[in-house]
Amino acid sequence: GAGVSQTPSNKVTEKGKYVELRCDPISGHTALYWYRQSLGQGPEFLIYFQGTGAADDSGLPNDRFFAVRPEGSVSTLKIQRTERGDSAVYLCASSRVLETEAFFGQGTRLTVV
Amino acid sequence: GDSVTQMEGPVTLSEEAFLTINCTYTATGYPSLFWYVQYPGEGLQLLLKATKADDKGSNKGFEATYRKETTSFHLEKGSVQVSDSAVYFCASWNSGAGSYQLTFGKGTKLSVIP
Protein backbone atom coordinates (compact mmCIF):
# COMPACT_ATOMS: atom_id res chain seq x y z
CA GLY A 1 0.00 0.00 0.00
CA ALA A 2 0.91 3.65 -0.16
CA GLY A 3 1.58 3.99 3.54
CA VAL A 4 1.55 2.17 6.85
CA SER A 5 -1.98 1.04 7.62
CA GLN A 6 -3.24 0.33 11.13
CA THR A 7 -6.54 -1.24 12.04
CA PRO A 8 -8.77 -0.58 13.76
CA SER A 9 -8.38 3.18 14.04
CA ASN A 10 -10.31 3.13 17.31
CA LYS A 11 -10.91 0.31 19.76
CA VAL A 12 -12.93 0.45 22.96
CA THR A 13 -12.71 -2.59 25.19
CA GLU A 14 -13.65 -3.56 28.70
CA LYS A 15 -11.07 -4.03 31.41
CA GLY A 16 -9.80 -7.59 31.43
CA LYS A 17 -10.51 -8.30 27.77
CA TYR A 18 -8.03 -9.34 25.08
CA VAL A 19 -7.30 -7.09 22.09
CA GLU A 20 -5.34 -7.36 18.87
CA LEU A 21 -4.04 -4.39 16.94
CA ARG A 22 -2.93 -4.84 13.35
CA CYS A 23 -0.23 -3.12 11.33
CA ASP A 24 0.30 -3.39 7.56
CA PRO A 25 3.70 -1.92 6.73
CA ILE A 26 4.76 -0.37 3.48
CA SER A 27 5.37 -3.12 0.93
CA GLY A 28 8.99 -4.23 0.91
CA HIS A 29 9.89 -2.72 4.27
CA THR A 30 11.77 -5.24 6.35
CA ALA A 31 11.87 -3.33 9.64
CA LEU A 32 8.71 -2.74 11.68
CA TYR A 33 8.32 -0.86 14.95
CA TRP A 34 5.60 -0.44 17.57
CA TYR A 35 5.34 2.60 19.81
CA ARG A 36 2.79 3.70 22.41
CA GLN A 37 1.74 7.31 22.90
CA SER A 38 -0.09 8.27 26.05
CA LEU A 39 -1.99 11.54 26.31
CA GLY A 40 0.36 14.50 26.45
CA GLN A 41 3.46 12.37 25.95
CA GLY A 42 5.74 11.52 23.10
CA PRO A 43 5.74 8.04 21.59
CA GLU A 44 7.50 5.37 23.65
CA PHE A 45 9.22 2.42 22.06
CA LEU A 46 7.71 -1.03 22.55
CA ILE A 47 9.29 -3.48 20.09
CA TYR A 48 10.83 -3.74 16.67
CA PHE A 49 11.14 -6.53 14.12
CA GLN A 50 13.73 -7.16 11.50
CA GLY A 51 11.97 -9.59 9.18
CA THR A 52 10.02 -12.12 11.20
CA GLY A 53 12.04 -11.94 14.39
CA ALA A 54 11.66 -9.52 17.28
CA ALA A 55 15.07 -7.88 17.36
CA ASP A 56 14.37 -5.82 20.46
CA ASP A 57 11.34 -6.18 22.72
CA SER A 58 12.80 -4.29 25.65
CA GLY A 59 10.04 -1.68 25.61
CA LEU A 60 7.15 -4.05 26.21
CA PRO A 61 5.84 -3.03 29.65
CA ASN A 62 5.01 -6.53 30.93
CA ASP A 63 4.12 -10.03 29.82
CA ARG A 64 0.54 -9.06 28.96
CA PHE A 65 1.94 -7.49 25.80
CA PHE A 66 3.09 -9.59 22.88
CA ALA A 67 3.68 -8.93 19.19
CA VAL A 68 4.17 -11.19 16.20
CA ARG A 69 5.13 -10.83 12.57
CA PRO A 70 4.92 -14.41 11.26
CA GLU A 71 5.55 -13.78 7.57
CA GLY A 72 7.75 -10.72 7.82
CA SER A 73 5.04 -8.33 6.69
CA VAL A 74 1.86 -7.75 8.74
CA SER A 75 2.32 -7.48 12.48
CA THR A 76 -0.15 -7.90 15.32
CA LEU A 77 0.24 -6.40 18.77
CA LYS A 78 -1.64 -8.46 21.32
CA ILE A 79 -2.66 -7.27 24.78
CA GLN A 80 -4.08 -9.70 27.32
CA ARG A 81 -6.17 -8.83 30.38
CA THR A 82 -6.31 -5.16 29.41
CA GLU A 83 -6.09 -2.51 32.12
CA ARG A 84 -7.27 1.10 32.09
CA GLY A 85 -3.63 2.17 32.08
CA ASP A 86 -3.21 0.52 28.67
CA SER A 87 -5.37 3.26 27.13
CA ALA A 88 -3.20 5.08 24.60
CA VAL A 89 -2.56 5.49 20.89
CA TYR A 90 -0.53 2.59 19.54
CA LEU A 91 1.67 3.58 16.63
CA CYS A 92 3.27 1.35 14.05
CA ALA A 93 6.13 2.36 11.76
CA SER A 94 8.13 0.64 9.07
CA SER A 95 11.38 1.27 7.26
CA ARG A 96 13.01 -0.27 4.22
CA VAL A 97 15.80 -1.60 6.35
CA LEU A 98 17.12 -0.65 9.76
CA GLU A 99 18.87 2.73 9.85
CA THR A 100 16.62 4.30 7.24
CA GLU A 101 13.69 6.66 7.68
CA ALA A 102 10.73 5.17 9.52
CA PHE A 103 7.23 5.92 8.21
CA PHE A 104 4.43 5.98 10.76
CA GLY A 105 0.82 4.92 10.52
CA GLN A 106 -2.00 6.98 11.96
CA GLY A 107 -2.25 4.78 15.00
CA THR A 108 -4.91 2.82 16.84
CA ARG A 109 -6.56 4.65 19.73
CA LEU A 110 -7.23 2.06 22.44
CA THR A 111 -9.60 2.92 25.24
CA VAL A 112 -10.04 0.49 28.12
CA VAL A 113 -13.19 1.16 30.15
CA GLY B 1 19.34 5.69 29.01
CA ASP B 2 18.94 8.24 26.26
CA SER B 3 16.45 11.08 26.75
CA VAL B 4 15.09 14.08 24.88
CA THR B 5 13.74 17.23 26.49
CA GLN B 6 11.83 19.82 24.53
CA MET B 7 10.11 23.01 25.53
CA GLU B 8 6.61 22.63 26.79
CA GLY B 9 3.74 24.08 24.91
CA PRO B 10 1.36 25.09 23.82
CA VAL B 11 2.96 27.80 21.72
CA THR B 12 0.71 30.33 20.03
CA LEU B 13 2.12 32.63 17.37
CA SER B 14 0.75 35.08 14.86
CA GLU B 15 1.25 34.36 11.19
CA GLU B 16 4.72 35.40 9.92
CA ALA B 17 6.23 35.32 13.42
CA PHE B 18 9.57 33.66 14.12
CA LEU B 19 9.46 30.21 15.68
CA THR B 20 11.92 28.49 17.97
CA ILE B 21 11.22 25.19 19.72
CA ASN B 22 14.06 24.15 21.99
CA CYS B 23 15.28 20.56 22.18
CA THR B 24 18.16 19.06 24.15
CA TYR B 25 19.25 15.45 24.36
CA THR B 26 21.30 13.15 26.55
CA ALA B 27 22.92 10.10 25.00
CA THR B 28 26.03 8.01 25.02
CA GLY B 29 27.97 8.56 21.84
CA TYR B 30 26.61 10.53 18.93
CA PRO B 31 22.97 9.94 18.10
CA SER B 32 21.12 10.99 14.98
CA LEU B 33 18.55 13.70 15.68
CA PHE B 34 15.13 14.26 14.17
CA TRP B 35 12.12 16.51 14.21
CA TYR B 36 8.78 14.87 13.53
CA VAL B 37 5.50 16.70 12.96
CA GLN B 38 1.96 15.52 13.58
CA TYR B 39 -0.71 17.53 11.79
CA PRO B 40 -4.28 17.29 13.11
CA GLY B 41 -5.80 13.94 12.20
CA GLU B 42 -2.61 12.63 10.59
CA GLY B 43 0.25 10.34 11.51
CA LEU B 44 3.77 11.34 12.50
CA GLN B 45 5.87 12.60 9.60
CA LEU B 46 9.58 13.16 9.49
CA LEU B 47 10.22 16.88 9.10
CA LEU B 48 14.03 16.98 9.10
CA LYS B 49 17.06 15.20 10.46
CA ALA B 50 20.78 15.54 11.15
CA THR B 51 23.15 12.64 11.61
CA LYS B 52 26.33 14.26 12.91
CA ALA B 53 27.59 17.31 14.75
CA ASP B 54 27.21 20.65 12.94
CA ASP B 55 24.87 19.16 10.34
CA LYS B 56 21.87 21.33 9.54
CA GLY B 57 18.60 19.67 8.63
CA SER B 58 16.07 21.70 6.67
CA ASN B 59 12.66 21.21 5.10
CA LYS B 60 9.59 23.37 4.34
CA GLY B 61 11.36 26.45 5.70
CA PHE B 62 12.21 24.76 9.00
CA GLU B 63 15.81 24.34 10.11
CA ALA B 64 17.67 22.71 12.99
CA THR B 65 21.41 22.44 13.63
CA TYR B 66 23.03 19.57 15.54
CA ARG B 67 25.08 21.22 18.30
CA LYS B 68 27.25 18.69 20.10
CA GLU B 69 28.73 21.24 22.51
CA THR B 70 25.30 22.18 23.86
CA THR B 71 23.63 18.81 23.09
CA SER B 72 20.86 20.70 21.33
CA PHE B 73 18.79 20.52 18.15
CA HIS B 74 16.50 23.55 18.25
CA LEU B 75 13.84 23.89 15.56
CA GLU B 76 13.46 27.29 13.87
CA LYS B 77 11.37 28.86 11.16
CA GLY B 78 11.60 32.46 10.09
CA SER B 79 7.95 33.04 9.21
CA VAL B 80 5.26 30.61 10.33
CA GLN B 81 1.99 30.02 8.51
CA VAL B 82 -1.38 28.86 9.75
CA SER B 83 -0.72 25.55 8.00
CA ASP B 84 2.25 24.96 10.35
CA SER B 85 -0.15 24.42 13.25
CA ALA B 86 0.70 20.95 14.52
CA VAL B 87 2.49 19.06 17.27
CA TYR B 88 6.26 18.88 16.88
CA PHE B 89 8.39 16.10 18.37
CA CYS B 90 12.13 16.07 18.78
CA ALA B 91 13.69 12.60 18.72
CA SER B 92 17.05 10.87 18.91
CA TRP B 93 18.26 7.57 17.53
CA ASN B 94 21.35 6.02 18.96
CA SER B 95 22.14 3.05 16.76
CA GLY B 96 25.61 3.00 18.24
CA ALA B 97 24.05 1.77 21.47
CA GLY B 98 22.97 -1.38 19.65
CA SER B 99 19.31 -0.57 19.23
CA TYR B 100 17.17 1.01 16.58
CA GLN B 101 14.56 2.69 18.72
CA LEU B 102 13.70 6.35 18.52
CA THR B 103 13.56 8.29 21.79
CA PHE B 104 11.00 11.10 21.63
CA GLY B 105 10.40 14.28 23.57
CA LYS B 106 6.93 15.01 24.90
CA GLY B 107 5.95 17.18 21.96
CA THR B 108 5.20 20.88 21.56
CA LYS B 109 1.85 21.98 20.22
CA LEU B 110 2.07 24.98 17.91
CA SER B 111 -0.95 27.07 17.00
CA VAL B 112 -0.56 29.80 14.40
CA ILE B 113 -3.31 32.39 14.23
CA PRO B 114 -4.01 34.62 11.22
Side-chain angles (χ1 to χ4, degrees):
Chain A
V4 178
S5 175
Q6 292 188 247
T7 54
S9 55
N10 282 283
K11 176 71 175 178
V12 180
T13 191
E14 293 181 346
K15 179 175 178 294
K17 298 290 188 182
Y18 168 83
V19 296
E20 291 189 350
L21 312 179
R22 176 186 169 106
C23 173
D24 278 272
I26 293 172
S27 178
H29 281 195
T30 62
L32 185 146
Y33 316 79
W34 284 99
Y35 289 80
R36 177 169 72 172
Q37 186 175 12
S38 300
L39 192 62
Q41 304 294 316
E44 295 179 318
F45 170 78
L46 296 176
I47 185 171
Y48 77 83
F49 293 85
Q50 175 59 29
T52 60
D56 182 355
D57 64 358
S58 62
L60 294 177
N62 52 60
D63 61 7
R64 294 187 299 106
F65 289 74
F66 190 70
V68 296
R69 194 186 185 200
E71 297 179 356
S73 178
V74 171
S75 177
T76 304
L77 178 66
K78 307 180 181 193
I79 311 174
Q80 299 177 321
R81 304 183 305 280
T82 52
E83 300 176 357
R84 293 195 179 88
D86 298 335
S87 297
V89 176
Y90 289 81
L91 299 170
C92 178
S94 70
S95 62
R96 188 170 52 82
V97 294
L98 293 174
E99 298 198 59
T100 61
E101 178 184 347
F103 294 85
F104 282 81
Q106 294 195 18
T108 294
R109 182 176 299 278
L110 176 66
T111 304
V112 182
V113 297
Chain B
D2 294 3
S3 67
V4 173
T5 303
Q6 60 182 106
M7 64 184 285
E8 293 188 16
V11 174
T12 302
L13 295 174
S14 296
E15 207 165 19
E16 300 184 1
F18 184 85
L19 169 71
T20 299
I21 302 178
N22 291 338
C23 171
T24 57
Y25 67 90
T26 58
T28 55
Y30 304 104
S32 296
L33 301 173
F34 306 83
W35 278 99
Y36 280 84
V37 59
Q38 189 169 34
Y39 298 104
E42 299 185 15
L44 278 170
Q45 301 174 25
L46 179 64
L47 180 60
L48 54 83
K49 68 179 182 182
T51 58
K52 61 183 187 295
D54 299 325
D55 268 3
K56 178 185 284 188
S58 61
N59 186 26
K60 300 182 180 180
F62 291 88
E63 292 184 340
T65 301
Y66 189 144
R67 301 286 189 199
K68 187 177 69 171
E69 62 276 12
T70 54
T71 63
S72 66
F73 192 55
H74 304 322
L75 182 68
E76 297 183 336
K77 186 174 185 182
S79 176
V80 294
Q81 305 301 312
V82 172
S83 58
D84 294 326
S85 298
V87 182
Y88 292 81
F89 293 92
C90 186
S92 69
W93 177 29
N94 197 352
S95 63
S99 180
Y100 295 92
Q101 54 177 279
L102 286 162
T103 299
F104 287 89
K106 291 185 176 183
T108 303
K109 183 175 181 179
L110 170 67
S111 297
V112 180
I113 55 176

Short mmCIF file of all heavy atoms in Angstrom, two decimals, chain A residues 33 35 37 40-45 48 56 58 91 98-106, chain B residues 36 38 41-46 49 89 93 95 98-107:
data_model
loop_
_atom_site.label_atom_id
_atom_site.label_comp_id
_atom_site.label_asym_id
_atom_site.label_seq_id
_atom_site.Cartn_x
_atom_site.Cartn_y
_atom_site.Cartn_z
N TYR A 33 8.20 -1.36 13.58
CA TYR A 33 8.32 -0.86 14.95
C TYR A 33 6.94 -0.61 15.53
O TYR A 33 6.03 -0.16 14.83
CB TYR A 33 9.09 0.47 14.98
CG TYR A 33 10.32 0.53 14.12
CD1 TYR A 33 10.23 0.73 12.75
CD2 TYR A 33 11.60 0.41 14.68
CE1 TYR A 33 11.37 0.80 11.95
CE2 TYR A 33 12.73 0.49 13.89
CZ TYR A 33 12.60 0.69 12.52
OH TYR A 33 13.73 0.76 11.74
N TYR A 35 5.19 1.60 18.77
CA TYR A 35 5.34 2.60 19.81
C TYR A 35 3.98 2.82 20.48
O TYR A 35 2.93 2.54 19.88
CB TYR A 35 5.81 3.95 19.23
CG TYR A 35 7.24 3.96 18.76
CD1 TYR A 35 7.59 3.44 17.52
CD2 TYR A 35 8.25 4.49 19.56
CE1 TYR A 35 8.90 3.45 17.08
CE2 TYR A 35 9.57 4.51 19.12
CZ TYR A 35 9.88 3.98 17.88
OH TYR A 35 11.19 3.98 17.46
N GLN A 37 1.77 5.89 22.58
CA GLN A 37 1.74 7.31 22.90
C GLN A 37 0.58 7.59 23.85
O GLN A 37 -0.59 7.51 23.47
CB GLN A 37 1.59 8.15 21.62
CG GLN A 37 1.70 9.64 21.86
CD GLN A 37 1.68 10.44 20.57
OE1 GLN A 37 1.37 9.92 19.49
NE2 GLN A 37 2.05 11.71 20.65
N GLY A 40 -0.58 13.48 26.02
CA GLY A 40 0.36 14.50 26.45
C GLY A 40 1.81 14.07 26.47
O GLY A 40 2.68 14.82 26.95
N GLN A 41 2.09 12.89 25.96
CA GLN A 41 3.46 12.37 25.95
C GLN A 41 3.93 12.10 24.53
O GLN A 41 3.12 12.02 23.61
CB GLN A 41 3.53 11.07 26.76
CG GLN A 41 3.04 11.17 28.17
CD GLN A 41 3.92 12.07 29.02
OE1 GLN A 41 5.16 11.98 28.95
NE2 GLN A 41 3.32 12.95 29.80
N GLY A 42 5.22 11.95 24.39
CA GLY A 42 5.74 11.52 23.10
C GLY A 42 5.64 10.01 22.98
O GLY A 42 5.44 9.30 23.96
N PRO A 43 5.78 9.50 21.77
CA PRO A 43 5.74 8.04 21.59
C PRO A 43 6.85 7.35 22.36
O PRO A 43 7.97 7.86 22.45
CB PRO A 43 5.95 7.88 20.07
CG PRO A 43 5.51 9.18 19.48
CD PRO A 43 5.90 10.21 20.48
N GLU A 44 6.52 6.19 22.92
CA GLU A 44 7.50 5.37 23.65
C GLU A 44 7.66 4.04 22.93
O GLU A 44 6.67 3.40 22.59
CB GLU A 44 7.05 5.15 25.09
CG GLU A 44 7.00 6.42 25.91
CD GLU A 44 6.53 6.16 27.33
OE1 GLU A 44 5.58 5.38 27.49
OE2 GLU A 44 7.11 6.74 28.26
N PHE A 45 8.90 3.65 22.78
CA PHE A 45 9.22 2.42 22.06
C PHE A 45 8.69 1.19 22.78
O PHE A 45 8.78 1.06 24.00
CB PHE A 45 10.75 2.32 21.92
CG PHE A 45 11.24 1.00 21.41
CD1 PHE A 45 11.16 0.69 20.06
CD2 PHE A 45 11.78 0.06 22.28
CE1 PHE A 45 11.62 -0.52 19.59
CE2 PHE A 45 12.24 -1.15 21.81
CZ PHE A 45 12.17 -1.45 20.47
N TYR A 48 10.65 -3.80 18.11
CA TYR A 48 10.83 -3.74 16.67
C TYR A 48 11.23 -5.09 16.12
O TYR A 48 11.82 -5.93 16.81
CB TYR A 48 11.77 -2.63 16.22
CG TYR A 48 13.25 -2.87 16.37
CD1 TYR A 48 13.98 -3.58 15.43
CD2 TYR A 48 13.93 -2.32 17.45
CE1 TYR A 48 15.34 -3.77 15.58
CE2 TYR A 48 15.28 -2.48 17.60
CZ TYR A 48 15.99 -3.22 16.67
OH TYR A 48 17.34 -3.39 16.82
N ASP A 56 14.27 -6.51 19.18
CA ASP A 56 14.37 -5.82 20.46
C ASP A 56 12.97 -5.63 21.01
O ASP A 56 12.18 -4.90 20.43
CB ASP A 56 15.07 -4.46 20.28
CG ASP A 56 15.25 -3.69 21.59
OD1 ASP A 56 14.76 -4.15 22.64
OD2 ASP A 56 15.91 -2.63 21.56
N SER A 58 12.51 -4.82 24.33
CA SER A 58 12.80 -4.29 25.65
C SER A 58 11.79 -3.24 26.13
O SER A 58 11.72 -2.94 27.31
CB SER A 58 14.20 -3.68 25.68
OG SER A 58 14.29 -2.60 24.78
N LEU A 91 1.14 3.19 17.93
CA LEU A 91 1.67 3.58 16.63
C LEU A 91 2.55 2.48 16.05
O LEU A 91 3.33 1.86 16.77
CB LEU A 91 2.52 4.85 16.75
CG LEU A 91 1.81 6.10 17.26
CD1 LEU A 91 2.83 7.20 17.55
CD2 LEU A 91 0.80 6.59 16.25
N LEU A 98 16.73 -1.41 8.57
CA LEU A 98 17.12 -0.65 9.76
C LEU A 98 18.04 0.48 9.33
O LEU A 98 18.73 0.40 8.34
CB LEU A 98 17.83 -1.56 10.75
CG LEU A 98 16.96 -2.64 11.39
CD1 LEU A 98 17.83 -3.56 12.24
CD2 LEU A 98 15.86 -2.03 12.23
N GLU A 99 18.03 1.55 10.08
CA GLU A 99 18.87 2.73 9.85
C GLU A 99 18.41 3.57 8.67
O GLU A 99 19.16 4.38 8.16
CB GLU A 99 20.35 2.34 9.63
CG GLU A 99 20.95 1.65 10.84
CD GLU A 99 22.46 1.65 10.82
OE1 GLU A 99 23.04 2.75 10.79
OE2 GLU A 99 23.03 0.56 10.81
N THR A 100 17.20 3.38 8.22
CA THR A 100 16.62 4.30 7.24
C THR A 100 15.36 4.91 7.82
O THR A 100 14.86 4.45 8.84
CB THR A 100 16.31 3.62 5.91
OG1 THR A 100 15.36 2.57 6.14
CG2 THR A 100 17.57 3.03 5.29
N GLU A 101 14.83 5.92 7.17
CA GLU A 101 13.69 6.66 7.68
C GLU A 101 12.52 5.74 7.97
O GLU A 101 12.16 4.88 7.16
CB GLU A 101 13.26 7.72 6.69
CG GLU A 101 12.04 8.52 7.14
CD GLU A 101 11.57 9.49 6.10
OE1 GLU A 101 12.32 9.74 5.14
OE2 GLU A 101 10.44 10.01 6.24
N ALA A 102 11.92 5.92 9.14
CA ALA A 102 10.73 5.17 9.52
C ALA A 102 9.49 5.97 9.18
O ALA A 102 9.41 7.16 9.46
CB ALA A 102 10.77 4.86 11.02
N PHE A 103 8.50 5.31 8.57
CA PHE A 103 7.23 5.92 8.21
C PHE A 103 6.17 5.41 9.17
O PHE A 103 6.04 4.20 9.36
CB PHE A 103 6.86 5.57 6.76
CG PHE A 103 7.80 6.15 5.74
CD1 PHE A 103 8.97 5.48 5.41
CD2 PHE A 103 7.52 7.36 5.12
CE1 PHE A 103 9.86 6.01 4.49
CE2 PHE A 103 8.40 7.89 4.19
CZ PHE A 103 9.56 7.22 3.88
N PHE A 104 5.41 6.34 9.74
CA PHE A 104 4.43 5.98 10.76
C PHE A 104 3.02 5.87 10.19
O PHE A 104 2.65 6.60 9.28
CB PHE A 104 4.42 7.04 11.87
CG PHE A 104 5.57 6.93 12.83
CD1 PHE A 104 6.82 7.45 12.51
CD2 PHE A 104 5.40 6.29 14.05
CE1 PHE A 104 7.89 7.34 13.39
CE2 PHE A 104 6.46 6.18 14.95
CZ PHE A 104 7.70 6.70 14.62
N GLY A 105 2.24 4.97 10.77
CA GLY A 105 0.82 4.92 10.52
C GLY A 105 0.10 5.94 11.38
O GLY A 105 0.73 6.64 12.19
N GLN A 106 -1.21 6.00 11.22
CA GLN A 106 -2.00 6.98 11.96
C GLN A 106 -2.35 6.52 13.37
O GLN A 106 -2.87 7.30 14.16
CB GLN A 106 -3.27 7.33 11.19
CG GLN A 106 -2.97 8.06 9.89
CD GLN A 106 -4.19 8.72 9.30
OE1 GLN A 106 -5.18 8.93 9.98
NE2 GLN A 106 -4.12 9.05 8.03
N TYR B 36 9.98 15.41 14.14
CA TYR B 36 8.78 14.87 13.53
C TYR B 36 7.64 15.86 13.75
O TYR B 36 7.61 16.59 14.74
CB TYR B 36 8.40 13.53 14.16
CG TYR B 36 9.18 12.35 13.63
CD1 TYR B 36 10.44 12.04 14.15
CD2 TYR B 36 8.67 11.54 12.62
CE1 TYR B 36 11.17 10.96 13.66
CE2 TYR B 36 9.39 10.46 12.14
CZ TYR B 36 10.63 10.18 12.67
OH TYR B 36 11.34 9.11 12.18
N GLN B 38 3.25 16.22 13.62
CA GLN B 38 1.96 15.52 13.58
C GLN B 38 0.87 16.56 13.34
O GLN B 38 0.50 17.30 14.27
CB GLN B 38 1.73 14.77 14.88
CG GLN B 38 0.54 13.84 14.87
CD GLN B 38 0.54 12.95 16.10
OE1 GLN B 38 0.95 13.34 17.19
NE2 GLN B 38 0.09 11.71 15.92
N GLY B 41 -5.17 15.05 12.91
CA GLY B 41 -5.80 13.94 12.20
C GLY B 41 -4.86 13.10 11.35
O GLY B 41 -5.32 12.20 10.64
N GLU B 42 -3.56 13.37 11.41
CA GLU B 42 -2.61 12.63 10.59
C GLU B 42 -1.57 11.92 11.45
O GLU B 42 -1.45 12.16 12.64
CB GLU B 42 -1.93 13.58 9.60
CG GLU B 42 -2.89 14.27 8.64
CD GLU B 42 -2.16 15.10 7.60
OE1 GLU B 42 -0.94 14.93 7.44
OE2 GLU B 42 -2.83 15.93 6.96
N GLY B 43 -0.81 11.04 10.81
CA GLY B 43 0.25 10.34 11.51
C GLY B 43 1.52 11.17 11.60
O GLY B 43 1.65 12.23 10.99
N LEU B 44 2.47 10.68 12.37
CA LEU B 44 3.77 11.34 12.50
C LEU B 44 4.50 11.34 11.17
O LEU B 44 4.54 10.33 10.47
CB LEU B 44 4.64 10.59 13.50
CG LEU B 44 4.44 10.87 14.98
CD1 LEU B 44 5.22 9.86 15.81
CD2 LEU B 44 4.89 12.27 15.32
N GLN B 45 5.09 12.49 10.84
CA GLN B 45 5.87 12.60 9.60
C GLN B 45 7.24 13.15 9.95
O GLN B 45 7.36 14.05 10.77
CB GLN B 45 5.20 13.56 8.62
CG GLN B 45 3.79 13.21 8.21
CD GLN B 45 3.17 14.30 7.36
OE1 GLN B 45 3.87 15.07 6.70
NE2 GLN B 45 1.85 14.37 7.38
N LEU B 46 8.25 12.61 9.30
CA LEU B 46 9.58 13.16 9.49
C LEU B 46 9.66 14.53 8.84
O LEU B 46 9.33 14.71 7.66
CB LEU B 46 10.62 12.23 8.85
CG LEU B 46 12.06 12.70 8.95
CD1 LEU B 46 12.52 12.77 10.40
CD2 LEU B 46 12.98 11.77 8.15
N LYS B 49 16.15 16.00 9.65
CA LYS B 49 17.06 15.20 10.46
C LYS B 49 18.49 15.68 10.28
O LYS B 49 18.81 16.38 9.31
CB LYS B 49 16.96 13.73 10.09
CG LYS B 49 17.47 13.40 8.70
CD LYS B 49 17.37 11.91 8.41
CE LYS B 49 17.93 11.59 7.02
NZ LYS B 49 17.79 10.13 6.71
N PHE B 89 7.66 17.00 17.47
CA PHE B 89 8.39 16.10 18.37
C PHE B 89 9.86 16.06 17.97
O PHE B 89 10.19 15.81 16.81
CB PHE B 89 7.84 14.67 18.28
CG PHE B 89 6.45 14.50 18.80
CD1 PHE B 89 5.36 14.62 17.94
CD2 PHE B 89 6.22 14.21 20.14
CE1 PHE B 89 4.07 14.45 18.41
CE2 PHE B 89 4.93 14.04 20.62
CZ PHE B 89 3.86 14.16 19.76
N TRP B 93 18.10 8.97 17.90
CA TRP B 93 18.26 7.57 17.53
C TRP B 93 19.71 7.21 17.67
O TRP B 93 20.55 7.72 16.94
CB TRP B 93 17.79 7.37 16.09
CG TRP B 93 17.96 6.00 15.57
CD1 TRP B 93 17.94 4.84 16.28
CD2 TRP B 93 18.16 5.63 14.22
NE1 TRP B 93 18.12 3.77 15.44
CE2 TRP B 93 18.25 4.23 14.17
CE3 TRP B 93 18.27 6.36 13.02
CZ2 TRP B 93 18.45 3.54 12.99
CZ3 TRP B 93 18.46 5.67 11.84
CH2 TRP B 93 18.55 4.27 11.83
N SER B 95 21.86 4.40 17.25
CA SER B 95 22.14 3.05 16.76
C SER B 95 23.46 2.53 17.28
O SER B 95 23.68 1.32 17.35
CB SER B 95 22.11 3.03 15.23
OG SER B 95 23.14 3.84 14.70
N GLY B 98 23.40 -0.03 19.96
CA GLY B 98 22.97 -1.38 19.65
C GLY B 98 21.49 -1.55 19.50
O GLY B 98 20.99 -2.67 19.47
N SER B 99 20.75 -0.45 19.40
CA SER B 99 19.31 -0.57 19.23
C SER B 99 18.84 0.42 18.18
O SER B 99 19.55 1.38 17.87
CB SER B 99 18.59 -0.29 20.56
OG SER B 99 17.20 -0.40 20.38
N TYR B 100 17.70 0.16 17.64
CA TYR B 100 17.17 1.01 16.58
C TYR B 100 15.87 1.68 16.99
O TYR B 100 14.99 1.89 16.19
CB TYR B 100 16.99 0.18 15.30
CG TYR B 100 18.31 -0.30 14.77
CD1 TYR B 100 18.84 -1.52 15.14
CD2 TYR B 100 19.06 0.51 13.93
CE1 TYR B 100 20.08 -1.93 14.67
CE2 TYR B 100 20.29 0.11 13.45
CZ TYR B 100 20.79 -1.12 13.84
OH TYR B 100 22.01 -1.52 13.37
N GLN B 101 15.77 2.03 18.25
CA GLN B 101 14.56 2.69 18.72
C GLN B 101 14.76 4.19 18.75
O GLN B 101 15.82 4.69 19.11
CB GLN B 101 14.19 2.17 20.10
CG GLN B 101 15.29 2.26 21.13
CD GLN B 101 14.85 1.80 22.50
OE1 GLN B 101 14.21 2.55 23.22
NE2 GLN B 101 15.18 0.56 22.85
N LEU B 102 13.72 4.90 18.39
CA LEU B 102 13.70 6.35 18.52
C LEU B 102 13.28 6.71 19.95
O LEU B 102 12.39 6.09 20.52
CB LEU B 102 12.69 6.96 17.55
CG LEU B 102 13.07 6.99 16.07
CD1 LEU B 102 11.84 7.19 15.21
CD2 LEU B 102 14.09 8.08 15.81
N THR B 103 13.94 7.73 20.51
CA THR B 103 13.56 8.29 21.79
C THR B 103 12.96 9.66 21.53
O THR B 103 13.64 10.53 20.96
CB THR B 103 14.77 8.40 22.73
OG1 THR B 103 15.32 7.10 22.95
CG2 THR B 103 14.35 9.01 24.06
N PHE B 104 11.72 9.87 21.92
CA PHE B 104 11.00 11.10 21.63
C PHE B 104 10.90 12.01 22.84
O PHE B 104 10.84 11.55 23.99
CB PHE B 104 9.57 10.78 21.18
CG PHE B 104 9.44 10.21 19.80
CD1 PHE B 104 9.52 8.84 19.59
CD2 PHE B 104 9.22 11.04 18.71
CE1 PHE B 104 9.40 8.30 18.33
CE2 PHE B 104 9.08 10.51 17.44
CZ PHE B 104 9.17 9.14 17.24
N GLY B 105 10.82 13.32 22.56
CA GLY B 105 10.40 14.28 23.57
C GLY B 105 8.89 14.23 23.71
O GLY B 105 8.21 13.48 23.00
N LYS B 106 8.36 15.07 24.61
CA LYS B 106 6.93 15.01 24.90
C LYS B 106 6.08 15.72 23.85
O LYS B 106 4.86 15.60 23.86
CB LYS B 106 6.65 15.62 26.27
CG LYS B 106 7.18 14.78 27.42
CD LYS B 106 6.76 15.37 28.76
CE LYS B 106 7.22 14.46 29.89
NZ LYS B 106 6.77 14.96 31.22
N GLY B 107 6.70 16.47 22.99
CA GLY B 107 5.95 17.18 21.96
C GLY B 107 5.62 18.60 22.36
O GLY B 107 5.45 18.92 23.54
#
